[in-house]
Amino acid sequence: MTMMSPSRPAAGFWSSSRARHLMPIAFVTYSLAYLDKSNYAIASAGGMAGELGLSAGLDSLIAASFFLGYFLFQIPGTIYAEQRSARRLVAWCTVTWGLLAVLQGLLSSPGQLIAVRFALGMVEGAVLPSMVMLLGRWFIKGERGRANTLLILGNPVTVMWLSAVSGWLISVSDWRLMFVLEGAPSIVWGLLCLRLIKDRPTDARWLGDAERTALETALTAERHTVSTALPHASPAAGDTGRVYRKVLRSRPVLLLAAQYFFWSFGMYGFIFWLPAIIKEGSGDGIGATGLLSAVPYAFAAVAMLFNSRLSDRSGRRRIAIWPWLAAGALALLGSYAAGPHFPLALTLLVIAGLCMYAPYGPYFALVSELAPAGVSGAAVALVNSFGALGSFAGTYLVGWVRGTELGDAGAFGFMAACTLLSAALMLTVREPRIPAPGSAAPRPAGTVNGPEHRHAPAGELSG
């Protein structure tokens, strides 16, 4: 058992049974969500658009309808998870999106596809913020950056194999069977989540008494530290609705929502158009393009793990976010400037990708720490909702700009400008500095001290 206190992280993240039990579950859940969200583009290119007679505009509208549902349901879904049960919400949303993903393979009209994609976005919308909120109940401040990173790591890892597996399934069958085969695992996994996920440490029989006691003591001391330094941040009994409204109107949360919009704009423009940019620059076929497109995500996964560990050890979040985004923006511009020198251009694209992915874990740790523990999920949901709008805008507008006279130069400039703006907005968010608690939390014998955190971001709700 590792030592835990609000000012000292666990000596070894994976030495805790919490990490060994929960992180594989979180990773698989987000991986399946990303798979069922993203394989539409493969299906469209693999014969669906031709078979259903979809124009380019209608095809884009069907794909984009997902983001509208994703935007609308995040806050109400996350409020349910926070006030009732994150376990039930995540499990049944996973089952439902699996059924909807399978249903896509059985439809034959654009109207039906729009409705199903919209519903798919609704049931997936609350899962990420609910999982971030849930992990906040199981991990102390010095662990949350890594916990969030391992959750979101499902994104780049899934991207690495998505195109190859989905393309192979279409080649040996068709796009309809691909939807069915890739949606079915989510149905099974959602049912398993009802048994595997627990809402709180007190509900988990597999968690040892010593580790449970140390965790609860550390989390209680953490909340006490926040309420002492920022007494307005903790919701009074029966006053949760007022605090929700205050959280959703607070300056730091709204700034982070705007910041995440522009970050997601650059990120999803990069994700969606990376294969096309690589194919055009390299002149290789689709097979080689797929392999080359996976390279940035492999490096991104390593950068995410490295950056989250540094952030957890230092206790500082903002410095683990904006420099990476600024460097990513410059790398995007440099990649275009490299022009015909494809090896250099690809190297800079790899740097851009890893820089845009690296801050995710510390970022969502900061968002959840800016709001009171009882309503932090609503803050994460609001920020992630604006990220969904940025994702839609980046996917659509980057493609539109590439088709104008501005071409790839305009596309790279657009993505770089939005990413750079997100870095600048990050600098306007004040990271509250809370003094460490006066006394360490009780801990079982045999625990090991970790590096001390002198500052802890917490619920700043002014503005």
Side-chain angles (χ1 to χ4, degrees):
M1 164 63 198
T2 56
M3 166 188 171
M4 287 176 294
S5 82
S7 62
R8 293 181 175 89
F13 182 78
W14 290 108
S15 66
S16 72
S17 58
R18 296 166 295 122
R20 294 194 300 271
H21 181 91
L22 290 171
M23 295 324 305
I25 297 170
F27 176 84
V28 172
T29 302
Y30 194 66
S31 294
L32 289 172
Y34 200 81
L35 169 65
D36 291 335
K37 169 171 63 177
S38 304
N39 60 4
Y40 177 87
I42 308 297
S44 178
M48 181 179 69
E51 181 178 330
L52 301 183
L54 304 179
S55 65
L58 186 55
D59 197 16
S60 296
L61 178 61
I62 294 170
S65 61
F66 171 90
F67 291 106
L68 182 58
Y70 195 82
F71 172 77
L72 292 174
F73 192 63
Q74 290 203 40
I75 292 176
T78 307
I79 289 175
Y80 172 87
E82 211 155 28
Q83 300 299 317
R84 298 291 188 88
S85 173
R87 165 184 161 268
R88 289 198 297 269
L89 180 132
V90 170
W92 289 116
C93 279
T94 305
V95 170
T96 306
W97 89 50
L99 291 170
L100 290 168
V102 169
L103 185 59
Q104 290 177 113
L106 308 177
L107 302 178
S108 56
S109 78
Q112 293 170 341
L113 280 169
I114 288 174
V116 169
R117 291 290 296 177
F118 176 84
L120 188 65
M122 286 184 62
V123 296
E124 283 194 27
V127 171
L128 177 63
S130 296
M131 290 295 289
V132 171
M133 178 273 298
L134 182 66
L135 293 176
R137 296 175 178 173
W138 284 86
F139 295 96
I140 62 171
K141 173 179 164 50
E143 300 167 324
R144 288 184 196 129
R146 281 167 288 179
N148 290 333
T149 290
L150 289 162
L151 165 68
I152 299 168
L153 202 62
N155 176 322
V157 171
T158 302
V159 170
M160 283 192 287
W161 60 262
L162 169 65
S163 297
V165 172
S166 299
W168 177 79
L169 286 174
I170 292 175
S171 69
V172 299
S173 55
D174 60 13
W175 60 272
R176 293 183 180 277
L177 189 60
M178 182 210 73
F179 276 135
V180 172
L181 292 178
E182 292 186 346
S186 294
I187 302 172
V188 177
W189 183 253
L191 295 173
L192 287 174
C193 283
L194 285 171
R195 294 183 59 86
L196 296 173
I197 296 176
K198 300 298 180 185
D199 280 302
R200 290 175 174 81
T202 52
D203 302 330
R205 295 180 180 178
W206 50 264
L207 188 63
D209 290 339
E211 186 171 358
R212 180 186 293 109
T213 300
L215 175 63
E216 290 175 352
T217 301
L219 291 174
T220 299
E222 227 175 50
R223 288 190 291 269
H224 175 72
T225 303
V226 172
S227 62
T228 300
L230 297 170
H232 64 282
S234 299
D239 204 18
T240 304
R242 183 187 66 81
V243 178
Y244 268 121
R245 290 191 294 273
K246 196 168 186 179
V247 168
L248 301 180
R249 292 197 304 264
S250 68
R251 180 178 180 272
V253 172
L254 293 177
L255 279 173
L256 287 169
Q259 186 271 344
Y260 197 48
F261 173 91
F262 289 107
W263 180 4
S264 297
F265 187 109
M267 173 64 78
Y268 271 80
F270 174 85
I271 291 172
F272 194 82
W273 291 106
L274 177 66
I277 292 169
I278 286 181
K279 187 173 187 298
E280 185 174 316
S282 67
D284 291 329
I286 191 65
T289 297
L291 292 174
L292 289 173
S293 298
V295 173
Y297 300 105
F299 282 92
V302 175
M304 289 172 71
L305 294 170
F306 171 76
N307 190 42
S308 64
R309 180 174 177 81
L310 287 183
S311 176
D312 278 350
R313 289 178 65 86
S314 69
R316 302 174 65 190
R317 305 300 188 195
R318 197 172 65 165
I319 195 66
I321 301 167
W322 72 263
W324 290 94
L325 295 176
L330 296 176
L332 280 173
L333 290 176
S335 181
Y336 176 75
H341 305 288
F342 181 71
L344 177 58
L346 179 61
T347 299
L348 289 169
L349 274 179
V350 169
I351 293 172
L354 71 87
C355 285
M356 288 193 287
Y357 267 105
Y360 270 119
Y363 180 79
F364 279 105
L366 173 61
V367 175
S368 62
E369 289 161 3
L370 277 169
V375 290
S376 60
V380 176
L382 178 69
V383 170
N384 202 44
S385 294
F386 276 82
L389 291 183
S391 302
F392 166 73
T395 301
Y396 177 75
L397 290 177
V398 169
W400 176 79
V401 168
R402 290 190 77 226
T404 67
E405 293 181 357
L406 296 174
D408 281 348
F412 273 91
F414 217 170
M415 289 187 289
C418 287
T419 306
L420 196 59
L421 181 56
S422 74
L425 284 171
M426 195 68 238
L427 289 172
T428 69
V429 178
R430 184 164 63 90
E431 185 174 0
R433 297 193 171 189
I434 309 301
S439 59
R443 60 191 67 91
T447 58
V448 181
N449 287 350
E452 182 173 349
H453 286 224
R454 300 191 181 275
H455 306 293
E460 179 188 332
L461 298 176
S462 60

Short mmCIF file of all heavy atoms in Angstrom, two decimals, residues 405-452:
data_model
loop_
_atom_site.label_atom_id
_atom_site.label_comp_id
_atom_site.label_asym_id
_atom_site.label_seq_id
_atom_site.Cartn_x
_atom_site.Cartn_y
_atom_site.Cartn_z
N GLU A 405 -8.80 28.46 -52.77
CA GLU A 405 -7.51 28.89 -53.32
C GLU A 405 -6.41 28.89 -52.26
O GLU A 405 -5.22 28.82 -52.59
CB GLU A 405 -7.64 30.29 -53.92
CG GLU A 405 -8.52 30.35 -55.17
CD GLU A 405 -8.59 31.75 -55.74
OE1 GLU A 405 -7.99 32.67 -55.12
OE2 GLU A 405 -9.23 31.93 -56.79
N LEU A 406 -6.78 28.95 -51.00
CA LEU A 406 -5.78 28.94 -49.92
C LEU A 406 -5.08 27.59 -49.81
O LEU A 406 -3.93 27.52 -49.39
CB LEU A 406 -6.45 29.30 -48.59
CG LEU A 406 -7.05 30.70 -48.48
CD1 LEU A 406 -7.79 30.85 -47.16
CD2 LEU A 406 -5.96 31.76 -48.61
N GLY A 407 -5.79 26.51 -50.15
CA GLY A 407 -5.21 25.17 -50.18
C GLY A 407 -4.63 24.74 -48.84
O GLY A 407 -5.10 25.16 -47.77
N ASP A 408 -3.58 23.93 -48.90
CA ASP A 408 -2.97 23.41 -47.68
C ASP A 408 -2.35 24.51 -46.83
O ASP A 408 -2.30 24.40 -45.60
CB ASP A 408 -1.91 22.36 -48.02
CG ASP A 408 -2.51 21.01 -48.35
OD1 ASP A 408 -3.72 20.83 -48.09
OD2 ASP A 408 -1.79 20.14 -48.86
N ALA A 409 -1.87 25.58 -47.47
CA ALA A 409 -1.28 26.68 -46.70
C ALA A 409 -2.32 27.28 -45.77
O ALA A 409 -2.05 27.54 -44.59
CB ALA A 409 -0.74 27.75 -47.65
N GLY A 410 -3.52 27.51 -46.31
CA GLY A 410 -4.58 28.05 -45.48
C GLY A 410 -5.00 27.09 -44.39
O GLY A 410 -5.28 27.49 -43.26
N ALA A 411 -5.04 25.78 -44.71
CA ALA A 411 -5.44 24.78 -43.73
C ALA A 411 -4.44 24.72 -42.57
O ALA A 411 -4.83 24.72 -41.39
CB ALA A 411 -5.56 23.41 -44.39
N PHE A 412 -3.16 24.65 -42.90
CA PHE A 412 -2.14 24.62 -41.86
C PHE A 412 -2.18 25.91 -41.03
O PHE A 412 -2.05 25.87 -39.80
CB PHE A 412 -0.75 24.44 -42.48
CG PHE A 412 -0.36 23.01 -42.69
CD1 PHE A 412 -0.64 22.38 -43.89
CD2 PHE A 412 0.29 22.29 -41.71
CE1 PHE A 412 -0.27 21.06 -44.10
CE2 PHE A 412 0.66 20.98 -41.90
CZ PHE A 412 0.37 20.35 -43.10
N GLY A 413 -2.34 27.04 -41.70
CA GLY A 413 -2.41 28.31 -40.99
C GLY A 413 -3.60 28.39 -40.06
O GLY A 413 -3.50 28.88 -38.92
N PHE A 414 -4.74 27.89 -40.54
CA PHE A 414 -5.96 27.88 -39.74
C PHE A 414 -5.77 27.03 -38.48
O PHE A 414 -6.08 27.45 -37.36
CB PHE A 414 -7.10 27.32 -40.58
CG PHE A 414 -8.42 27.97 -40.34
CD1 PHE A 414 -9.49 27.72 -41.19
CD2 PHE A 414 -8.62 28.84 -39.28
CE1 PHE A 414 -10.73 28.31 -40.98
CE2 PHE A 414 -9.85 29.44 -39.05
CZ PHE A 414 -10.90 29.18 -39.90
N MET A 415 -5.27 25.80 -38.64
CA MET A 415 -5.06 24.92 -37.50
C MET A 415 -4.04 25.52 -36.53
O MET A 415 -4.23 25.47 -35.30
CB MET A 415 -4.60 23.55 -37.97
CG MET A 415 -5.67 22.73 -38.67
SD MET A 415 -5.15 21.02 -39.03
CE MET A 415 -3.96 21.29 -40.36
N ALA A 416 -2.97 26.07 -37.07
CA ALA A 416 -1.92 26.64 -36.21
C ALA A 416 -2.44 27.84 -35.44
O ALA A 416 -2.16 27.99 -34.24
CB ALA A 416 -0.71 27.03 -37.06
N ALA A 417 -3.21 28.71 -36.10
CA ALA A 417 -3.73 29.91 -35.44
C ALA A 417 -4.66 29.54 -34.30
O ALA A 417 -4.60 30.13 -33.21
CB ALA A 417 -4.46 30.79 -36.46
N CYS A 418 -5.53 28.56 -34.52
CA CYS A 418 -6.46 28.15 -33.47
C CYS A 418 -5.72 27.50 -32.30
O CYS A 418 -6.05 27.75 -31.13
CB CYS A 418 -7.50 27.19 -34.05
SG CYS A 418 -8.72 28.01 -35.10
N THR A 419 -4.72 26.68 -32.60
CA THR A 419 -3.95 26.04 -31.53
C THR A 419 -3.16 27.07 -30.74
O THR A 419 -3.08 27.00 -29.51
CB THR A 419 -3.00 24.99 -32.12
OG1 THR A 419 -3.74 24.08 -32.94
CG2 THR A 419 -2.30 24.20 -31.03
N LEU A 420 -2.59 28.05 -31.43
CA LEU A 420 -1.85 29.11 -30.75
C LEU A 420 -2.77 29.97 -29.89
O LEU A 420 -2.42 30.36 -28.76
CB LEU A 420 -1.13 29.99 -31.78
CG LEU A 420 -0.02 30.90 -31.27
CD1 LEU A 420 1.08 30.09 -30.60
CD2 LEU A 420 0.56 31.73 -32.42
N LEU A 421 -3.98 30.23 -30.39
CA LEU A 421 -4.95 30.98 -29.61
C LEU A 421 -5.36 30.22 -28.35
O LEU A 421 -5.53 30.81 -27.28
CB LEU A 421 -6.19 31.28 -30.47
CG LEU A 421 -7.30 32.09 -29.79
CD1 LEU A 421 -6.78 33.42 -29.26
CD2 LEU A 421 -8.45 32.33 -30.78
N SER A 422 -5.47 28.90 -28.46
CA SER A 422 -5.81 28.10 -27.28
C SER A 422 -4.70 28.18 -26.23
O SER A 422 -4.97 28.22 -25.03
CB SER A 422 -6.07 26.64 -27.68
OG SER A 422 -4.88 25.95 -27.98
N ALA A 423 -3.44 28.23 -26.70
CA ALA A 423 -2.32 28.38 -25.75
C ALA A 423 -2.38 29.74 -25.06
O ALA A 423 -2.15 29.85 -23.84
CB ALA A 423 -0.99 28.21 -26.49
N ALA A 424 -2.71 30.79 -25.83
CA ALA A 424 -2.80 32.12 -25.24
C ALA A 424 -3.94 32.22 -24.23
O ALA A 424 -3.79 32.82 -23.16
CB ALA A 424 -2.99 33.15 -26.36
N LEU A 425 -5.07 31.61 -24.54
CA LEU A 425 -6.20 31.63 -23.62
C LEU A 425 -5.86 30.90 -22.32
O LEU A 425 -6.34 31.27 -21.24
CB LEU A 425 -7.43 31.01 -24.27
CG LEU A 425 -8.16 31.88 -25.29
CD1 LEU A 425 -9.23 31.07 -26.02
CD2 LEU A 425 -8.79 33.09 -24.61
N MET A 426 -5.03 29.86 -22.43
CA MET A 426 -4.64 29.11 -21.23
C MET A 426 -3.90 30.01 -20.25
O MET A 426 -4.01 29.85 -19.02
CB MET A 426 -3.75 27.93 -21.64
CG MET A 426 -3.56 26.87 -20.58
SD MET A 426 -5.09 25.97 -20.26
CE MET A 426 -5.28 26.28 -18.52
N LEU A 427 -3.17 30.98 -20.75
CA LEU A 427 -2.42 31.89 -19.89
C LEU A 427 -3.33 32.83 -19.12
O LEU A 427 -2.91 33.43 -18.12
CB LEU A 427 -1.43 32.70 -20.74
CG LEU A 427 -0.24 31.93 -21.30
CD1 LEU A 427 0.55 32.79 -22.27
CD2 LEU A 427 0.66 31.44 -20.17
N THR A 428 -4.57 33.01 -19.58
CA THR A 428 -5.50 33.90 -18.89
C THR A 428 -6.23 33.21 -17.74
O THR A 428 -6.95 33.86 -16.99
CB THR A 428 -6.55 34.46 -19.87
OG1 THR A 428 -7.42 33.40 -20.30
CG2 THR A 428 -5.89 35.09 -21.09
N VAL A 429 -6.08 31.89 -17.63
CA VAL A 429 -6.75 31.14 -16.56
C VAL A 429 -5.82 31.10 -15.35
O VAL A 429 -4.72 30.56 -15.42
CB VAL A 429 -7.08 29.70 -17.02
CG1 VAL A 429 -7.73 28.92 -15.88
CG2 VAL A 429 -7.99 29.73 -18.24
N ARG A 430 -6.27 31.69 -14.25
CA ARG A 430 -5.45 31.72 -13.05
C ARG A 430 -5.55 30.38 -12.33
O ARG A 430 -6.64 29.89 -12.07
CB ARG A 430 -5.90 32.85 -12.11
CG ARG A 430 -5.02 32.99 -10.87
CD ARG A 430 -5.27 34.34 -10.20
NE ARG A 430 -6.63 34.46 -9.72
CZ ARG A 430 -7.02 34.09 -8.49
NH1 ARG A 430 -6.13 33.53 -7.66
NH2 ARG A 430 -8.26 34.24 -8.11
N GLU A 431 -4.40 29.82 -12.03
CA GLU A 431 -4.35 28.55 -11.31
C GLU A 431 -4.25 28.85 -9.83
O GLU A 431 -3.20 29.29 -9.36
CB GLU A 431 -3.15 27.72 -11.78
CG GLU A 431 -3.08 26.34 -11.17
CD GLU A 431 -1.95 25.52 -11.79
OE1 GLU A 431 -1.25 26.03 -12.67
OE2 GLU A 431 -1.79 24.35 -11.37
N PRO A 432 -5.33 28.67 -9.07
CA PRO A 432 -5.30 29.02 -7.65
C PRO A 432 -4.22 28.25 -6.91
O PRO A 432 -3.98 27.07 -7.21
CB PRO A 432 -6.70 28.61 -7.15
CG PRO A 432 -7.53 28.53 -8.38
CD PRO A 432 -6.62 28.10 -9.47
N ARG A 433 -3.61 28.89 -5.96
CA ARG A 433 -2.57 28.25 -5.17
C ARG A 433 -3.05 28.13 -3.74
O ARG A 433 -3.22 29.12 -3.04
CB ARG A 433 -1.26 29.04 -5.25
CG ARG A 433 -0.73 29.07 -6.68
CD ARG A 433 0.69 29.56 -6.75
NE ARG A 433 1.21 29.37 -8.10
CZ ARG A 433 2.48 29.54 -8.44
NH1 ARG A 433 3.35 29.91 -7.52
NH2 ARG A 433 2.87 29.36 -9.67
N ILE A 434 -3.26 26.90 -3.34
CA ILE A 434 -3.81 26.63 -2.03
C ILE A 434 -2.70 26.08 -1.13
O ILE A 434 -2.00 25.16 -1.52
CB ILE A 434 -4.95 25.58 -2.12
CG1 ILE A 434 -5.96 26.01 -3.19
CG2 ILE A 434 -5.61 25.39 -0.77
CD1 ILE A 434 -6.59 27.35 -2.92
N PRO A 435 -2.53 26.63 0.08
CA PRO A 435 -1.50 26.10 0.96
C PRO A 435 -1.77 24.65 1.32
O PRO A 435 -2.92 24.23 1.45
CB PRO A 435 -1.58 27.00 2.20
CG PRO A 435 -2.93 27.62 2.13
CD PRO A 435 -3.28 27.74 0.68
N ALA A 436 -0.71 23.88 1.49
CA ALA A 436 -0.85 22.47 1.86
C ALA A 436 -1.48 22.34 3.22
O ALA A 436 -1.33 23.21 4.08
CB ALA A 436 0.51 21.78 1.84
N PRO A 437 -2.23 21.28 3.48
CA PRO A 437 -2.84 21.08 4.79
C PRO A 437 -1.78 21.07 5.88
O PRO A 437 -0.64 20.67 5.68
CB PRO A 437 -3.51 19.71 4.66
CG PRO A 437 -3.69 19.50 3.19
CD PRO A 437 -2.55 20.20 2.54
N GLY A 438 -2.21 21.44 7.07
CA GLY A 438 -1.25 21.54 8.15
C GLY A 438 -0.74 20.22 8.66
O GLY A 438 0.34 20.13 9.22
N SER A 439 -1.51 19.19 8.48
CA SER A 439 -1.07 17.89 8.96
C SER A 439 -1.32 16.84 7.91
O SER A 439 -2.28 16.92 7.18
CB SER A 439 -1.80 17.51 10.24
OG SER A 439 -3.19 17.47 10.02
N ALA A 440 -0.46 15.83 7.87
CA ALA A 440 -0.60 14.77 6.89
C ALA A 440 -1.75 13.85 7.27
O ALA A 440 -2.09 13.70 8.43
CB ALA A 440 0.70 13.96 6.81
N ALA A 441 -2.34 13.23 6.27
CA ALA A 441 -3.45 12.32 6.52
C ALA A 441 -2.94 11.04 7.16
O ALA A 441 -1.83 10.61 6.92
CB ALA A 441 -4.15 12.00 5.21
N PRO A 442 -3.77 10.39 8.00
CA PRO A 442 -3.38 9.10 8.57
C PRO A 442 -3.14 8.09 7.46
O PRO A 442 -3.80 8.12 6.44
CB PRO A 442 -4.60 8.71 9.42
CG PRO A 442 -5.35 9.98 9.65
CD PRO A 442 -5.08 10.84 8.46
N ARG A 443 -2.19 7.19 7.68
CA ARG A 443 -1.89 6.21 6.65
C ARG A 443 -1.44 4.93 7.33
O ARG A 443 -0.90 4.96 8.44
CB ARG A 443 -0.79 6.73 5.72
CG ARG A 443 0.52 7.04 6.41
CD ARG A 443 1.44 7.79 5.48
NE ARG A 443 0.93 9.10 5.20
CZ ARG A 443 1.24 10.17 5.93
NH1 ARG A 443 2.03 10.06 6.97
NH2 ARG A 443 0.75 11.33 5.63
N PRO A 444 -1.65 3.82 6.69
CA PRO A 444 -1.23 2.55 7.28
C PRO A 444 0.27 2.42 7.34
O PRO A 444 1.00 3.09 6.62
CB PRO A 444 -1.85 1.50 6.35
CG PRO A 444 -2.11 2.23 5.08
CD PRO A 444 -2.34 3.65 5.41
N ALA A 445 0.72 1.52 8.18
CA ALA A 445 2.16 1.31 8.32
C ALA A 445 2.75 0.79 7.03
O ALA A 445 2.08 0.12 6.24
CB ALA A 445 2.42 0.30 9.44
N GLY A 446 4.02 1.12 6.81
CA GLY A 446 4.70 0.60 5.64
C GLY A 446 4.54 1.46 4.41
O GLY A 446 4.90 1.06 3.31
N THR A 447 3.95 2.66 4.55
CA THR A 447 3.78 3.52 3.39
C THR A 447 5.05 4.30 3.13
O THR A 447 5.91 4.45 3.97
CB THR A 447 2.62 4.49 3.60
OG1 THR A 447 2.88 5.27 4.77
CG2 THR A 447 1.31 3.75 3.77
N VAL A 448 5.12 4.83 1.92
CA VAL A 448 6.34 5.50 1.48
C VAL A 448 6.02 6.93 1.10
O VAL A 448 5.03 7.19 0.44
CB VAL A 448 6.95 4.77 0.27
CG1 VAL A 448 8.23 5.44 -0.18
CG2 VAL A 448 7.21 3.31 0.62
N ASN A 449 6.84 7.86 1.52
CA ASN A 449 6.60 9.26 1.18
C ASN A 449 6.87 9.53 -0.28
O ASN A 449 7.78 8.99 -0.87
CB ASN A 449 7.52 10.17 2.01
CG ASN A 449 7.07 10.24 3.46
OD1 ASN A 449 5.99 9.77 3.79
ND2 ASN A 449 7.90 10.82 4.31
N GLY A 450 6.07 10.41 -0.85
CA GLY A 450 6.29 10.88 -2.21
C GLY A 450 6.64 12.34 -2.17
O GLY A 450 6.60 12.98 -1.13
N PRO A 451 7.00 12.94 -3.29
CA PRO A 451 7.36 14.35 -3.32
C PRO A 451 6.18 15.23 -2.93
O PRO A 451 5.06 14.94 -3.27
CB PRO A 451 7.77 14.57 -4.79
CG PRO A 451 7.11 13.47 -5.53
CD PRO A 451 7.06 12.32 -4.61
N GLU A 452 6.46 16.29 -2.21
CA GLU A 452 5.40 17.14 -1.70
C GLU A 452 4.91 18.11 -2.76
O GLU A 452 5.68 18.66 -3.54
CB GLU A 452 5.92 17.94 -0.49
CG GLU A 452 4.84 18.82 0.13
CD GLU A 452 5.31 19.46 1.41
OE1 GLU A 452 6.38 19.06 1.90
OE2 GLU A 452 4.62 20.36 1.91
#
